[in-house]
Amino acid sequence: MKNEYLSSLMQRVIQRNQGEKEFHQAVREVLESLEPVVEKHPEYIKKGVLECIVEPERIIKFRVPWVDDNGNVQVNRGFRVQFSSSIGPYKGGLRFHPSVYEGIIKFLGFEQIFKNSLTGLPIGGGKGGSDFDPKGKSDMEVMRFCQSFMSELAKHIGSYTDIPAGDIGVGSREIGYLFGQYKRVTNKFTGVITGKSIEYGGSLARREATGFGLCYFTDAMLRDNGESFRNKTVVISGSGNVAIYAAKKTRHLGGKVVALSDSDGYIYDKNGIDLKLVKQIKEAERKRIKTYISVHPDAEYHENCKGIWQIKCDIALPCATENELDKNDAETLISNGCIAVAEGANMPSTPEAIQVFLENNILFGPAKAANAGGVATSALEMSQNSIRDAWDFETVDAKLKEIMENIYKNSSAAAEEYGMKGNLVAGANIAGFLKVANAMMEQGVV
Ligand code: NDP
């Protein structure tokens, strides 16, 4: 980083948040993008906006004891990082995965500030979760864990304060148990969580939103460059909520998805993935992706999910987890003729991989912009809950599409305005930052 102030701020972030490498990575990427902004607007430095924005407003950390099916007490850790409420109540998902610790939640919460700002909707940034692993647990164990988790979290959230949602390991089953416990301990039926089932206040199209939104964003980026999804070969990592609905929308838009993965390995089906079967395996049966080949023996299964980036494709959509695509993978994608990469997962590409994409003029949609459709639709769910209404699928989907196209336009315009035409990483960071920073300045040092 050339700017002296930003570089010393980065050093302070590293020193104050020792060992939290994912958080450092997320902050560094944003600060690097902001160099031309602070040169043009030194008031952001003078008024302490940057120092405030890298420090969460509040971190809640708690014990989550629960009893397993054998009668043994298990203890996990729960977190909620309430990062920024400058433009609206804290909003961001909950992640249940053994890799969760404070640094992961801080990185996700920090990213969420700018992503939520990009949606154009009044939502601040937050994130939470636990090192609990729902994989291999019975429904009753998951229920007891969620009830214990929410018994504490309920004290800190509310429909005008902080509205959690799902993320890795938190799908509609977990959301149901969490919402049920919130209602029990507060005696309130409010839109305190999004991603709910339709029966009790959820929004149509929320399940599809992140994957569909990713494709709407990617389509806007492709069309602006004279390309489209039509007849393109597409590789998507993951096989969870984001990946499945990205695959579905890719197909609507004329592309062919040939690969999906989970944390064990990946499947390659040159005829195009049978999505109905994947949904059956992952959503209904909660089994491993390798069982796909027992129905389609002509498809291939490979252990080690990282190998997925060696498959020749035109478009790559990483939709599993952070840092899943490194410099070598980026180089392999490019040498295989890939023209576009858009991130469905949060921070799936390493900084070195992003550098390779930008240097080679690959169309690159960063997570903050490209996967904002989930939280945008969560905000639409909040609107419906507030007015006690339920919109039809087409209404929500049309709003989602418009939001994603605007995110593309605004990120692209910000990149151009600050002399980095085509660099959507910088454009998304700048456009997301400006709105939050201006709100912070107007509200004073609080
Ligand atoms: P799910 O839990 O539904 O699916 C996650 C998928 O990624 C699974 O296939 C999982 O495989 C795989 N995966 C998870 N961790 C790893 C890992 N360490 N290595 C390799 N594969 C892994 O989560 P989502 O689809 O909801 O989330 C995926 C990504 O999208 C995350 O980065 C999340 O933060 C981001 N995101 C999600 C949004 C949403 O609305 N759900 C919104 C915006 C971003 P396995 O089953 O083997 O664990």
Side-chain angles (χ1 to χ4, degrees), residues 95 97 99 108 115 127 135 166-170 206 210 238-243 261-264 282 288 305 319-322 344-346 371-372 374-375:
R95 176 176 292 191
H97 193 272
S99 63
L108 291 163
K115 180 188 309 197
K127 198 84 189 189
K135 232 180 279 165
D167 189 77
I168 291 179
V170 179
R206 172 61 188 93
T210 309
S239 51
N241 174 263
V242 180
S261 63
D262 61 19
S263 54
D264 293 337
K282 300 304 285 190
R288 310 308 297 158
C305 52
C319 294
T321 194
E322 59 273 2
N346 282 311
N371 75 19
V375 74

Tab-separated table of all heavy atoms in Angstrom, residues 95 97 99 108 115 127 135 166-170 206 210 238-243 261-264 282 288 305 319-322 344-346 371-372 374-375, ligand 1:
chain	number	residue	atom	x	y	z
A	95	ARG	N	-23.053	-18.645	10.557
A	95	ARG	CA	-22.343	-19.795	9.974
A	95	ARG	C	-22.081	-20.831	11.053
A	95	ARG	O	-21.509	-20.488	12.104
A	95	ARG	CB	-21.014	-19.327	9.361
A	95	ARG	CG	-20.170	-20.474	8.828
A	95	ARG	CD	-18.901	-19.999	8.145
A	95	ARG	NE	-19.163	-19.297	6.897
A	95	ARG	CZ	-18.224	-18.976	6.004
A	95	ARG	NH1	-16.962	-19.291	6.240
A	95	ARG	NH2	-18.546	-18.342	4.890
A	97	HIS	N	-19.921	-24.033	11.411
A	97	HIS	CA	-18.878	-24.849	10.762
A	97	HIS	C	-17.712	-24.958	11.738
A	97	HIS	O	-17.414	-23.986	12.450
A	97	HIS	CB	-18.425	-24.173	9.454
A	97	HIS	CG	-17.597	-25.059	8.562
A	97	HIS	ND1	-16.226	-25.140	8.683
A	97	HIS	CD2	-17.958	-25.891	7.553
A	97	HIS	CE1	-15.772	-26.004	7.764
A	97	HIS	NE2	-16.807	-26.469	7.074
A	99	SER	N	-14.677	-24.651	11.425
A	99	SER	CA	-13.576	-23.691	11.222
A	99	SER	C	-13.888	-22.301	11.801
A	99	SER	O	-13.040	-21.407	11.770
A	99	SER	CB	-13.294	-23.547	9.719
A	99	SER	OG	-14.441	-23.015	9.065
A	108	LEU	N	-16.184	-11.853	7.730
A	108	LEU	CA	-17.490	-11.897	7.062
A	108	LEU	C	-18.320	-10.651	7.416
A	108	LEU	O	-18.984	-10.073	6.554
A	108	LEU	CB	-18.239	-13.177	7.451
A	108	LEU	CG	-17.629	-14.471	6.883
A	108	LEU	CD1	-18.159	-15.694	7.628
A	108	LEU	CD2	-17.923	-14.614	5.393
A	115	LYS	N	-21.113	-4.872	1.224
A	115	LYS	CA	-22.080	-5.607	0.406
A	115	LYS	C	-23.481	-5.049	0.629
A	115	LYS	O	-24.208	-4.759	-0.312
A	115	LYS	CB	-22.032	-7.093	0.818
A	115	LYS	CG	-22.968	-7.973	0.057
A	115	LYS	CD	-23.021	-9.365	0.636
A	115	LYS	CE	-21.632	-9.941	0.823
A	115	LYS	NZ	-21.623	-11.378	0.992
A	127	LYS	N	-22.417	-10.281	11.384
A	127	LYS	CA	-22.282	-11.707	11.044
A	127	LYS	C	-22.150	-12.477	12.344
A	127	LYS	O	-21.706	-11.922	13.357
A	127	LYS	CB	-21.035	-11.924	10.181
A	127	LYS	CG	-21.024	-13.231	9.422
A	127	LYS	CD	-21.781	-13.151	8.108
A	127	LYS	CE	-21.948	-14.521	7.485
A	127	LYS	NZ	-22.497	-14.433	6.120
A	135	LYS	N	-23.018	-31.315	10.458
A	135	LYS	CA	-22.836	-32.543	9.677
A	135	LYS	C	-22.768	-33.763	10.595
A	135	LYS	O	-22.023	-33.771	11.570
A	135	LYS	CB	-21.537	-32.440	8.866
A	135	LYS	CG	-21.759	-32.731	7.393
A	135	LYS	CD	-20.482	-32.624	6.597
A	135	LYS	CE	-20.154	-31.180	6.269
A	135	LYS	NZ	-18.807	-30.964	5.816
A	166	GLY	N	-29.178	-17.160	7.300
A	166	GLY	CA	-28.362	-18.366	7.164
A	166	GLY	C	-27.007	-18.088	6.506
A	166	GLY	O	-26.745	-16.988	6.034
A	167	ASP	N	-26.168	-19.089	6.523
A	167	ASP	CA	-24.881	-19.078	5.800
A	167	ASP	C	-24.460	-20.546	5.777
A	167	ASP	O	-25.325	-21.433	5.923
A	167	ASP	CB	-23.856	-18.185	6.519
A	167	ASP	CG	-22.581	-17.952	5.707
A	167	ASP	OD1	-22.617	-17.146	4.773
A	167	ASP	OD2	-21.540	-18.611	5.984
A	168	ILE	N	-23.192	-20.842	5.654
A	168	ILE	CA	-22.741	-22.242	5.618
A	168	ILE	C	-23.271	-22.971	6.864
A	168	ILE	O	-23.123	-22.493	7.985
A	168	ILE	CB	-21.199	-22.323	5.571
A	168	ILE	CG1	-20.695	-21.823	4.209
A	168	ILE	CG2	-20.711	-23.741	5.849
A	168	ILE	CD1	-19.193	-21.841	4.052
A	169	GLY	N	-23.892	-24.116	6.648
A	169	GLY	CA	-24.367	-24.946	7.755
A	169	GLY	C	-25.650	-24.454	8.405
A	169	GLY	O	-26.136	-25.083	9.344
A	170	VAL	N	-26.191	-23.353	7.934
A	170	VAL	CA	-27.456	-22.854	8.491
A	170	VAL	C	-28.458	-22.689	7.343
A	170	VAL	O	-28.405	-21.721	6.589
A	170	VAL	CB	-27.264	-21.511	9.253
A	170	VAL	CG1	-28.598	-21.005	9.798
A	170	VAL	CG2	-26.269	-21.705	10.399
A	206	ARG	N	-36.248	-16.198	-1.654
A	206	ARG	CA	-35.078	-16.009	-0.790
A	206	ARG	C	-34.124	-17.203	-0.920
A	206	ARG	O	-32.916	-17.032	-0.974
A	206	ARG	CB	-35.481	-15.824	0.688
A	206	ARG	CG	-34.286	-15.812	1.659
A	206	ARG	CD	-33.324	-14.675	1.347
A	206	ARG	NE	-32.062	-14.686	2.098
A	206	ARG	CZ	-30.928	-15.243	1.692
A	206	ARG	NH1	-30.862	-15.904	0.532
A	206	ARG	NH2	-29.823	-15.160	2.425
A	210	THR	N	-29.332	-15.913	-3.643
A	210	THR	CA	-27.893	-15.674	-3.796
A	210	THR	C	-27.403	-16.251	-5.126
A	210	THR	O	-26.681	-15.588	-5.879
A	210	THR	CB	-27.096	-16.253	-2.609
A	210	THR	OG1	-27.693	-15.785	-1.402
A	210	THR	CG2	-25.643	-15.833	-2.649
A	238	GLY	N	-18.893	-26.145	-4.829
A	238	GLY	CA	-19.908	-26.254	-3.789
A	238	GLY	C	-21.124	-26.981	-4.336
A	238	GLY	O	-21.225	-27.237	-5.561
A	239	SER	N	-22.025	-27.341	-3.440
A	239	SER	CA	-23.298	-27.950	-3.846
A	239	SER	C	-24.317	-27.634	-2.769
A	239	SER	O	-25.215	-28.408	-2.486
A	239	SER	CB	-23.149	-29.458	-4.038
A	239	SER	OG	-22.532	-30.038	-2.902
A	240	GLY	N	-24.130	-26.452	-2.160
A	240	GLY	CA	-25.063	-25.998	-1.135
A	240	GLY	C	-26.062	-25.021	-1.717
A	240	GLY	O	-26.317	-25.021	-2.930
A	241	ASN	N	-26.605	-24.187	-0.867
A	241	ASN	CA	-27.661	-23.266	-1.290
A	241	ASN	C	-27.228	-22.384	-2.467
A	241	ASN	O	-27.949	-22.277	-3.457
A	241	ASN	CB	-28.062	-22.398	-0.076
A	241	ASN	CG	-29.034	-21.318	-0.466
A	241	ASN	OD1	-28.639	-20.178	-0.696
A	241	ASN	ND2	-30.308	-21.646	-0.578
A	242	VAL	N	-26.067	-21.767	-2.364
A	242	VAL	CA	-25.648	-20.826	-3.414
A	242	VAL	C	-25.379	-21.573	-4.721
A	242	VAL	O	-25.873	-21.196	-5.796
A	242	VAL	CB	-24.405	-20.025	-2.959
A	242	VAL	CG1	-23.986	-19.047	-4.050
A	242	VAL	CG2	-24.682	-19.293	-1.662
A	243	ALA	N	-24.615	-22.657	-4.634
A	243	ALA	CA	-24.220	-23.399	-5.839
A	243	ALA	C	-25.429	-23.972	-6.586
A	243	ALA	O	-25.519	-23.866	-7.818
A	243	ALA	CB	-23.260	-24.528	-5.444
A	261	SER	N	-19.191	-29.520	-6.484
A	261	SER	CA	-18.312	-30.191	-5.508
A	261	SER	C	-18.919	-30.157	-4.104
A	261	SER	O	-19.912	-29.471	-3.870
A	261	SER	CB	-16.951	-29.477	-5.468
A	261	SER	OG	-17.105	-28.150	-5.034
A	262	ASP	N	-18.308	-30.902	-3.182
A	262	ASP	CA	-18.487	-30.620	-1.756
A	262	ASP	C	-17.100	-30.681	-1.130
A	262	ASP	O	-16.097	-30.720	-1.868
A	262	ASP	CB	-19.538	-31.532	-1.093
A	262	ASP	CG	-19.196	-33.016	-1.137
A	262	ASP	OD1	-18.012	-33.350	-1.337
A	262	ASP	OD2	-20.119	-33.837	-0.966
A	263	SER	N	-17.001	-30.678	0.202
A	263	SER	CA	-15.656	-30.566	0.770
A	263	SER	C	-14.822	-31.830	0.581
A	263	SER	O	-13.610	-31.807	0.794
A	263	SER	CB	-15.733	-30.174	2.246
A	263	SER	OG	-16.571	-31.069	2.931
A	264	ASP	N	-15.431	-32.932	0.134
A	264	ASP	CA	-14.660	-34.157	-0.108
A	264	ASP	C	-14.106	-34.239	-1.532
A	264	ASP	O	-13.011	-34.756	-1.757
A	264	ASP	CB	-15.543	-35.398	0.105
A	264	ASP	CG	-15.953	-35.552	1.549
A	264	ASP	OD1	-15.233	-35.014	2.416
A	264	ASP	OD2	-16.986	-36.187	1.803
A	282	LYS	N	-28.393	-33.523	-1.923
A	282	LYS	CA	-27.899	-32.541	-0.952
A	282	LYS	C	-28.999	-31.939	-0.080
A	282	LYS	O	-28.797	-31.738	1.109
A	282	LYS	CB	-27.125	-31.415	-1.670
A	282	LYS	CG	-25.913	-31.871	-2.464
A	282	LYS	CD	-24.889	-32.655	-1.664
A	282	LYS	CE	-24.032	-31.842	-0.731
A	282	LYS	NZ	-22.901	-32.626	-0.167
A	288	ARG	N	-23.404	-37.167	0.480
A	288	ARG	CA	-22.209	-36.624	-0.168
A	288	ARG	C	-22.409	-36.581	-1.690
A	288	ARG	O	-23.110	-37.415	-2.267
A	288	ARG	CB	-20.958	-37.466	0.168
A	288	ARG	CG	-20.770	-37.747	1.639
A	288	ARG	CD	-20.817	-36.503	2.497
A	288	ARG	NE	-19.742	-35.569	2.179
A	288	ARG	CZ	-19.794	-34.250	2.462
A	288	ARG	NH1	-20.844	-33.732	3.044
A	288	ARG	NH2	-18.786	-33.483	2.139
A	305	CYS	N	-11.622	-31.525	-3.529
A	305	CYS	CA	-12.489	-30.562	-4.228
A	305	CYS	C	-11.727	-29.520	-5.038
A	305	CYS	O	-12.249	-28.976	-6.002
A	305	CYS	CB	-13.430	-29.889	-3.224
A	305	CYS	SG	-12.599	-29.171	-1.800
A	319	CYS	N	-18.484	-21.133	-5.378
A	319	CYS	CA	-19.643	-20.960	-4.486
A	319	CYS	C	-19.535	-21.814	-3.238
A	319	CYS	O	-20.560	-22.191	-2.659
A	319	CYS	CB	-20.932	-21.326	-5.231
A	319	CYS	SG	-21.334	-20.233	-6.585
A	320	ALA	N	-18.309	-22.176	-2.796
A	320	ALA	CA	-18.181	-23.034	-1.613
A	320	ALA	C	-17.724	-22.253	-0.390
A	320	ALA	O	-18.492	-22.034	0.546
A	320	ALA	CB	-17.253	-24.196	-1.902
A	321	THR	N	-16.453	-21.778	-0.404
A	321	THR	CA	-15.928	-21.189	0.836
A	321	THR	C	-14.758	-20.252	0.548
A	321	THR	O	-14.337	-20.111	-0.614
A	321	THR	CB	-15.521	-22.320	1.808
A	321	THR	OG1	-15.316	-21.778	3.104
A	321	THR	CG2	-14.267	-23.045	1.349
A	322	GLU	N	-14.197	-19.634	1.601
A	322	GLU	CA	-13.122	-18.661	1.392
A	322	GLU	C	-11.820	-19.337	0.956
A	322	GLU	O	-11.530	-20.464	1.324
A	322	GLU	CB	-12.863	-17.813	2.654
A	322	GLU	CG	-12.490	-18.567	3.901
A	322	GLU	CD	-13.723	-19.016	4.693
A	322	GLU	OE1	-14.853	-18.778	4.255
A	322	GLU	OE2	-13.511	-19.645	5.739
A	344	GLY	N	-19.611	-16.486	-5.853
A	344	GLY	CA	-20.836	-16.725	-5.104
A	344	GLY	C	-20.526	-16.858	-3.628
A	344	GLY	O	-21.288	-16.420	-2.767
A	345	ALA	N	-19.388	-17.483	-3.309
A	345	ALA	CA	-18.952	-17.604	-1.908
A	345	ALA	C	-18.336	-16.278	-1.469
A	345	ALA	O	-18.081	-15.390	-2.282
A	345	ALA	CB	-17.941	-18.735	-1.771
A	346	ASN	N	-18.087	-16.142	-0.171
A	346	ASN	CA	-17.408	-14.957	0.342
A	346	ASN	C	-15.899	-15.164	0.297
A	346	ASN	O	-15.396	-16.143	0.850
A	346	ASN	CB	-17.857	-14.681	1.782
A	346	ASN	CG	-19.222	-14.033	1.813
A	346	ASN	OD1	-19.474	-13.054	1.098
A	346	ASN	ND2	-20.133	-14.577	2.613
A	371	ASN	N	-22.434	-11.611	-4.902
A	371	ASN	CA	-23.304	-12.483	-4.096
A	371	ASN	C	-24.238	-11.701	-3.166
A	371	ASN	O	-24.806	-12.262	-2.227
A	371	ASN	CB	-22.492	-13.550	-3.337
A	371	ASN	CG	-21.731	-12.998	-2.131
A	371	ASN	OD1	-22.035	-11.925	-1.619
A	371	ASN	ND2	-20.746	-13.750	-1.665
A	372	ALA	N	-24.425	-10.407	-3.471
A	372	ALA	CA	-25.263	-9.565	-2.593
A	372	ALA	C	-26.758	-9.851	-2.731
A	372	ALA	O	-27.565	-9.308	-1.982
A	372	ALA	CB	-24.990	-8.091	-2.880
A	374	GLY	N	-28.481	-12.438	-1.952
A	374	GLY	CA	-29.074	-13.118	-0.795
A	374	GLY	C	-29.508	-12.113	0.252
A	374	GLY	O	-30.665	-12.097	0.693
A	375	VAL	N	-28.581	-11.234	0.603
A	375	VAL	CA	-28.921	-10.267	1.658
A	375	VAL	C	-29.935	-9.250	1.137
A	375	VAL	O	-30.798	-8.782	1.889
A	375	VAL	CB	-27.638	-9.609	2.252
A	375	VAL	CG1	-27.021	-8.591	1.311
A	375	VAL	CG2	-27.967	-8.960	3.583
B	1	NDP	P1	-24.071	-24.384	2.346
B	1	NDP	O1	-23.750	-24.853	3.713
B	1	NDP	O2	-25.454	-24.529	1.832
B	1	NDP	O3	-23.099	-25.069	1.277
B	1	NDP	C1	-21.721	-24.906	1.363
B	1	NDP	C2	-21.072	-25.754	0.274
B	1	NDP	O4	-19.667	-25.462	0.246
B	1	NDP	C3	-21.212	-27.238	0.512
B	1	NDP	O5	-21.188	-27.908	-0.707
B	1	NDP	C4	-19.942	-27.534	1.342
B	1	NDP	O6	-19.533	-28.877	1.268
B	1	NDP	C5	-18.931	-26.630	0.665
B	1	NDP	N1	-17.911	-26.236	1.653
B	1	NDP	C6	-18.113	-25.627	2.851
B	1	NDP	N2	-16.946	-25.460	3.495
B	1	NDP	C7	-16.003	-25.971	2.688
B	1	NDP	C8	-14.600	-26.092	2.779
B	1	NDP	N3	-13.926	-25.641	3.864
B	1	NDP	N4	-13.934	-26.655	1.738
B	1	NDP	C9	-14.599	-27.096	0.639
B	1	NDP	N5	-15.938	-27.010	0.503
B	1	NDP	C10	-16.619	-26.457	1.502
B	1	NDP	O7	-23.616	-22.833	2.303
B	1	NDP	P2	-24.028	-21.708	1.282
B	1	NDP	O8	-24.222	-22.270	-0.066
B	1	NDP	O9	-25.088	-20.907	1.909
B	1	NDP	O10	-22.712	-20.796	1.309
B	1	NDP	C11	-21.625	-20.966	0.409
B	1	NDP	C12	-20.801	-19.704	0.361
B	1	NDP	O11	-21.633	-18.610	-0.071
B	1	NDP	C13	-20.189	-19.240	1.687
B	1	NDP	O12	-18.966	-18.597	1.438
B	1	NDP	C14	-21.207	-18.217	2.184
B	1	NDP	O13	-20.633	-17.298	3.097
B	1	NDP	C15	-21.572	-17.540	0.868
B	1	NDP	N6	-22.826	-16.815	0.863
B	1	NDP	C16	-24.017	-17.440	1.160
B	1	NDP	C17	-25.193	-16.744	1.109
B	1	NDP	C18	-26.515	-17.400	1.319
B	1	NDP	O14	-27.541	-16.712	1.092
B	1	NDP	N7	-26.584	-18.665	1.692
B	1	NDP	C19	-25.199	-15.290	0.817
B	1	NDP	C20	-23.912	-14.759	0.426
B	1	NDP	C21	-22.788	-15.508	0.487
B	1	NDP	P3	-19.828	-29.867	2.521
B	1	NDP	O15	-21.293	-30.181	2.434
B	1	NDP	O16	-18.945	-31.025	2.275
B	1	NDP	O17	-19.469	-29.110	3.765
